[in-house]
Amino acid sequence: MKEAYLYSNVQGKVRCTACNRYCLLGEGQTGFCGIRKNIDGRLFLLSYGRAAALAIDPIEKKPLYHYLPGGRVLSLSSSGCNWSCSYCQNYEISQRREIMGEYLTPEEIVKIAMNSGADGISYTYNEPTIFAEYAHDIGVVARKRGLFSTYVSNGYESAESIPYLGEFLDAISIDFKGNGNDLFGRKYIGILSYTPVFDTLKRLKNAGIYTEVTDLVVPVKGLGDNQEDARTLSRWIMDNLGPDTPLHFTRFHPDYRMRDVPATPVETLERHHAIAKEEGLKFVYIGNVPGHPLENTYCPNCGNELVRRYEFQIKKYEITPEGRCPFCGQDMHIVRKRRTSW
Ligand code: SF4
């Protein structure tokens, strides 16, 4: 464990400032996420150095489709979470609130990444916001070795954490794990409101961290698959992040406490896709439906298929080295280089 960076002392207690729960912890108390604890008036990250899962993944799995396409990342998680999604697919590491995993220093993690031929490191599987200090220290070393860093996050970062992430983070996939409907968030995630997620998206844009957005479409009681919510989300992205922001509608699969809810019908995802396109977003995708044509990238100007995918593998790639459509010259908004300034 290691003393946390993201906290303050408040009237004899500590307030964690890593995420929007802002847990106020008395002596000996542990935060909602289960891995940050007040010990003798100082906040400690109990899971610092503890890697609960390590795997090599294509960057498309995060999903990040327009950031260094075809790149490989070392995926890393710790344990615990600041959300309590009833359908969490990684509940064994996220929802037990236990400290688990092998002890590995930041230098050792970067060495593993480099030895396995990865181009970057992705902090994923459980919410990285809660282990930001470990991710930060890995990311700083990784940057020196020429590796990029990405988060897969629920977007519940505090305002205080964004400048800290800006010291090492290149790209982020914000996964709503629902559709931005507050009723859904209260019932199935354990949050009062999605407003902090929208605030995070604006702060990430201001900080210059490359962002893609994911909306997990959960077909439950008209709350998680509501078409009006899909329109509201798409319109918000258009107005606040811009039409070039990639948006992924991903398919829910039954898991954890929601094994009785069937997988999202493909037609529902297609309808969401159509709504986002109607609202003007240029790069909209369907995820978790291997082989579906809407996994692919089409030029928003001439309509030609430029990138064909099967699940997370790229099967065809015809975007020019300058990131343009070879048929009409349209800018396809592909990031081909990691950040060079912070
Ligand atoms: S990171 Fe954990 S301890 Fe900190 S505010 Fe969020 S839930 Fe609470």
Side-chain angles (χ1 to χ4, degrees):
M1 70 178 183
K2 184 178 178 183
E3 184 173 4
Y5 174 79
L6 293 164
Y7 82 95
S8 58
N9 291 96
V10 182
Q11 297 171 346
K13 298 185 176 183
V14 302
R15 184 178 302 284
C16 177
T17 57
C19 93
N20 261 284
R21 290 203 186 271
Y22 287 108
C23 295
L24 185 61
L25 305 172
E27 177 58 39
Q29 286 186 317
T30 304
F32 180 91
C33 56
I35 63 163
R36 298 170 76 87
K37 183 174 184 179
N38 179 349
I39 302 174
D40 294 334
R42 296 155 69 200
L43 186 68
F44 283 83
L45 173 56
L46 304 178
S47 68
Y48 188 97
R50 302 289 293 273
L54 283 174
I56 296 291
D57 289 321
I59 196 166
E60 282 75 14
K61 191 174 179 181
K62 300 305 132 191
L64 288 170
Y65 278 11
H66 288 243
Y67 187 82
L68 300 169
R72 282 156 50 89
V73 291
L74 176 69
S75 295
L76 162 81
S77 82
S78 72
S79 51
C81 194
N82 57 353
W83 282 13
S84 317
C85 304
S86 304
Y87 42 84
C88 181
Q89 296 195 323
N90 298 318
Y91 63 93
E92 290 191 349
I93 56 173
S94 68
Q95 300 302 326
R96 280 195 193 153
R97 306 300 199 257
E98 287 175 15
I99 310 302
M100 57 175 80
E102 184 183 356
Y103 183 80
L104 291 164
T105 66
E107 290 77 11
E108 287 170 328
I109 293 289
V110 173
K111 200 169 173 187
I112 291 169
M114 296 184 76
N115 288 345
S116 40
D119 305 293
I121 296 173
S122 185
Y123 311 90
T124 179
Y125 302 147
N126 76 323
E127 175 52 45
T129 305
I130 63 174
F131 65 93
E133 291 85 355
Y134 186 36
H136 172 277
D137 292 357
I138 296 168
V140 168
V141 176
R143 175 159 48 110
K144 287 180 187 155
R145 306 278 195 278
L147 302 183
F148 63 83
S149 286
T150 77
Y151 263 22
V152 179
S153 172
N154 57 29
Y156 216 55
E157 281 84 353
S158 65
E160 292 86 341
S161 71
I162 301 298
Y164 190 60
L165 301 191
E167 294 177 15
F168 72 98
L169 197 66
D170 297 271
I172 190 166
S173 167
I174 295 293
D175 186 348
F176 274 72
K177 305 184 197 296
N179 55 3
N181 178 312
D182 287 345
L183 283 176
F184 180 89
R186 279 172 215 154
K187 191 165 173 55
Y188 298 105
I189 292 177
I191 57 170
L192 287 176
S193 162
Y194 276 96
T195 299
V197 181
F198 290 107
D199 290 342
T200 295
L201 283 167
K202 287 195 249 185
R203 291 184 187 119
L204 290 168
K205 184 181 181 194
N206 290 337
I209 297 173
Y210 174 82
T211 303
E212 297 193 16
V213 179
T214 298
D215 174 11
L216 177 70
V217 182
V218 186
V220 62
K221 298 186 178 172
L223 279 178
D225 56 355
N226 187 298
Q227 293 183 10
E228 271 316 298
D229 290 330
R231 192 171 296 286
T232 302
L233 176 62
S234 302
R235 201 170 286 167
W236 188 92
I237 294 170
M238 271 293 290
D239 293 345
N240 294 276
L241 306 180
D244 301 313
T245 308
L247 172 61
H248 306 255
F249 290 111
T250 55
R251 190 181 204 190
F252 161 89
H253 289 289
D255 212 328
Y256 193 34
R257 293 179 177 148
M258 285 175 66
R259 294 174 195 270
D260 54 335
V261 176
T264 318
V266 174
E267 310 80 62
T268 303
L269 297 166
E270 291 170 343
R271 184 65 198 131
H272 277 55
H273 181 281
I275 288 169
K277 294 294 282 183
E278 284 166 19
E279 290 300 320
L281 291 176
K282 293 180 185 172
F283 305 109
V284 186
Y285 299 99
I286 281 178
N288 295 342
V289 189
H292 194 287
L294 295 177
E295 280 191 313
N296 303 332
T297 299
Y298 301 90
C299 174
N301 183 48
C302 69
N304 277 296
E305 179 195 90
L306 303 185
V307 184
R308 188 180 306 147
R309 300 179 182 84
Y310 185 87
E311 209 164 23
F312 310 120
Q313 305 298 326
I314 292 179
K315 298 297 181 185
K316 178 182 92 170
Y317 189 85
E318 291 188 347
I319 295 173
T320 70
E322 297 74 35
R324 294 190 174 274
C325 170
F327 301 101
C328 70
Q330 167 77 29
D331 186 350
M332 295 300 291
H333 287 271
I334 300 288
V335 177
R336 298 193 60 82
K337 287 185 180 164
R338 58 188 287 278
R339 289 175 80 190
T340 53
S341 63
W342 278 262

